[in-house]
Amino acid sequence: MNFLFFGLGSIGQRHLRNLLQLKNNCKIYALRKKFSTPLLNYQNKKIRGNVEKKYKIISIKTLEYLKKKDVKIDAAFICNPSSLHASTAKWCIKRNIPVFIEKPAATNIKDLNLIKKLVKSKKKVINVVGYQLRFNPIIRFIKKYCFDQKKLGQVYNCEIFHGEHVDNFHSYESYKDSYTSQKKLGGGVALTQIHEIDYLNYFFSEYELLEFKYISDKISKLKMNVEDNYTSIFKFRSTKNKKISLGKITCSYVQVPKKRTIFISCEQGSLHADLNESLIKILRPKKRDYVKKFNFNRNDMFTNEIKQFLNLIKNPKLKKRLLPSILEDNKVNKIAIKIKI
């Protein structure tokens, strides 16, 4: 198979490493323009070497190269700056190339509507948005325990907090140079940390969103022109029993130390999850507290989403899937776009 990578930054190199472990006999083409990201390891640390030589990549400067050399691309990974995701996906989908697009699929409503219209007209083209946290066993446990099986009864409230400092994202570059801090590249905490909106929507997949409000701003003194904090609240109604549940998300670019937690208040108790500590605690009246530690390799989440993408290419009618398509992600993407300043 021939794979085309758009961008080989930290996430692009991670997907590349995982893909090559899953598919030995394949050829990799990469459209690269800046060559600013060094060769990285699984901890996103700079190591000696060259990306092209290490992975035997054919780097190209323009897409015309593929046409001149009569190269048929079997699938593409869109890992360039967020503001380029929609236009890149458009190029691929028009040519019937299956795409794995890193979140977010689009950074403005115009692009979101254009890509939505194109995907609807090209229904047979496989497309997925990369939300690796859907493969996190903690997220899967919460979804099953609280929302599918309702082990604690009605969900009253779900509060999510995710904070870390933007300058700690990549050790090989300053936050000021990263796409995460630049409006023109689609940065800002709302789009960069869109995972929280996605898995809240995943939790409440059997609910109707009735109301959504938010506050966002650049609060810190960091040199960036995007929002670094936001808080949003959601009002859901169950499609089955019409009961109301509330949701809340707070995300921050300037949190020290980093913190990523989920608190769910329910009719018969509560669940507390710490994603950084891989820990869940369930508290119920007059019952012993239940504590569960999850031991898993973080990279497995990324490997599993690539596996699912490859399986979808082989079997487009695959029923058991976690990755959303661009159309299925539309609501989440739209919410994040509204939040950003």
Side-chain angles (χ1 to χ4, degrees):
M1 291 180 74
N2 293 326
F3 292 91
L4 175 60
F5 274 74
F6 293 86
L8 283 174
S10 62
I11 191 62
Q13 288 190 40
R14 182 180 292 277
H15 291 326
L16 174 62
R17 289 191 299 265
N18 291 334
L19 174 65
L20 291 174
Q21 283 192 344
L22 296 169
K23 299 283 290 185
N24 294 321
N25 188 23
C26 63
K27 188 173 287 187
I28 306 295
Y29 295 85
L31 181 69
R32 303 189 72 192
K33 294 186 177 180
K34 289 188 174 182
F35 293 85
S36 57
T37 305
L39 180 65
L40 304 171
N41 62 16
Y42 274 105
Q43 288 72 44
N44 277 341
K45 302 293 184 182
K46 180 180 177 181
I47 56 176
R48 287 184 180 182
N50 176 277
V51 178
E52 278 74 18
K53 290 181 180 180
K54 172 76 173 176
Y55 301 111
K56 298 179 181 179
I57 296 169
I58 302 170
S59 283
I60 60 177
K61 292 184 178 179
T62 68
L63 293 168
E64 285 299 312
Y65 173 93
L66 301 174
K67 187 175 181 181
K68 288 179 181 178
K69 298 292 183 178
D70 195 27
V71 177
K72 179 184 179 297
I73 297 298
D74 296 297
F77 287 83
I78 301 174
C79 311
N80 46 13
S82 299
S83 60
L84 301 175
H85 286 183
S87 59
T88 307
K90 182 180 177 183
W91 184 91
C92 294
I93 293 169
K94 276 188 172 182
R95 289 160 179 79
N96 300 314
I97 298 172
V99 293
F100 180 106
I101 182 169
E102 261 305 313
K103 53 76 188 171
T107 58
N108 59 70
I109 294 297
K110 181 181 178 182
D111 282 349
L112 187 63
N113 289 337
L114 285 173
I115 194 70
K116 179 181 176 181
K117 184 178 179 181
L118 177 61
V119 169
K120 281 185 173 181
S121 69
K122 291 276 192 175
K123 293 180 180 180
K124 292 185 178 181
V125 181
I126 298 298
N127 63 88
V128 297
V129 184
Y131 288 109
Q132 77 273 1
L133 282 181
R134 289 194 176 208
F135 295 87
N136 186 311
I138 299 173
I139 299 297
R140 301 286 304 281
F141 179 92
I142 294 172
K143 168 67 171 170
K144 184 177 180 180
Y145 190 90
C146 291
F147 292 88
D148 295 341
Q149 297 179 343
K150 301 187 185 302
K151 289 289 187 71
L152 295 175
Q154 182 188 351
V155 173
Y156 291 149
N157 191 28
C158 177
E159 293 188 19
I160 295 169
F161 185 95
H162 181 198
E164 57 184 310
H165 203 283
V166 66
D167 205 23
N168 295 329
F169 284 5
H170 299 147
S171 61
Y172 55 86
E173 67 178 352
S174 167
Y175 77 89
K176 290 178 284 188
D177 300 323
S178 172
Y179 80 93
T180 59
S181 303
Q182 302 180 53
K183 191 171 186 177
K184 67 179 181 179
L185 297 181
V189 70
L191 288 170
T192 304
Q193 306 296 20
I194 194 175
H195 290 290
E196 270 56 40
I197 304 173
D198 175 68
Y199 70 72
L200 180 76
N201 182 64
Y202 172 58
F203 288 162
F204 286 97
S205 58
E206 301 297 325
Y207 291 70
E208 176 188 3
L209 178 60
L210 297 179
E211 199 171 351
F212 157 65
K213 295 181 180 180
Y214 66 93
I215 298 174
S216 63
D217 210 337
K218 180 187 177 297
I219 299 172
S220 73
K221 295 180 180 180
L222 294 177
K223 293 182 179 180
M224 58 172 66
N225 60 355
V226 293
E227 79 285 347
D228 54 24
N229 282 269
Y230 84 81
T231 295
S232 58
I233 54 174
F234 304 79
K235 183 178 179 180
F236 298 99
R237 181 172 62 196
S238 171
T239 55
K240 293 181 179 179
N241 57 25
K242 305 303 180 182
K243 290 183 178 179
I244 300 296
S245 299
L246 301 180
K248 177 185 176 184
I249 300 175
T250 296
C251 282
S252 173
Y253 259 1
V254 289
Q255 170 79 18
V256 178
K258 65 180 182 180
K259 177 183 176 183
R260 203 168 199 176
T261 59
I262 303 169
F263 169 71
I264 302 178
S265 172
C266 302
E267 185 180 8
Q268 297 166 19
S270 62
L271 181 146
H272 307 248
D274 188 320
L275 272 65
N276 290 332
E277 296 296 327
S278 298
L279 192 71
I280 275 181
K281 182 184 288 187
I282 298 171
L283 296 90
R284 291 167 290 183
K286 300 179 181 180
K287 290 188 178 182
R288 181 179 295 180
D289 294 351
Y290 174 80
V291 179
K292 182 176 176 64
K293 177 75 175 178
F294 292 78
N295 295 309
F296 64 97
N297 187 326
R298 179 175 178 270
N299 189 63
D300 287 345
M301 297 187 295
F302 297 92
T303 301
N304 287 332
E305 62 177 349
I306 301 303
K307 281 182 181 178
Q308 188 162 108
F309 176 52
L310 296 176
N311 286 337
L312 276 167
I313 293 173
K314 287 197 301 184
N315 180 17
K317 294 183 179 180
L318 187 69
K319 291 183 178 180
K320 290 185 177 181
R321 50 177 293 186
L322 288 174
L323 290 175
S325 67
I326 291 172
L327 280 180
E328 291 165 340
D329 177 55
N330 187 266
K331 180 172 69 174
V332 167
N333 203 159
K334 189 176 291 185
I335 288 170
I337 290 170
K338 286 182 178 179
I339 290 174
K340 77 185 187 75
I341 60 174

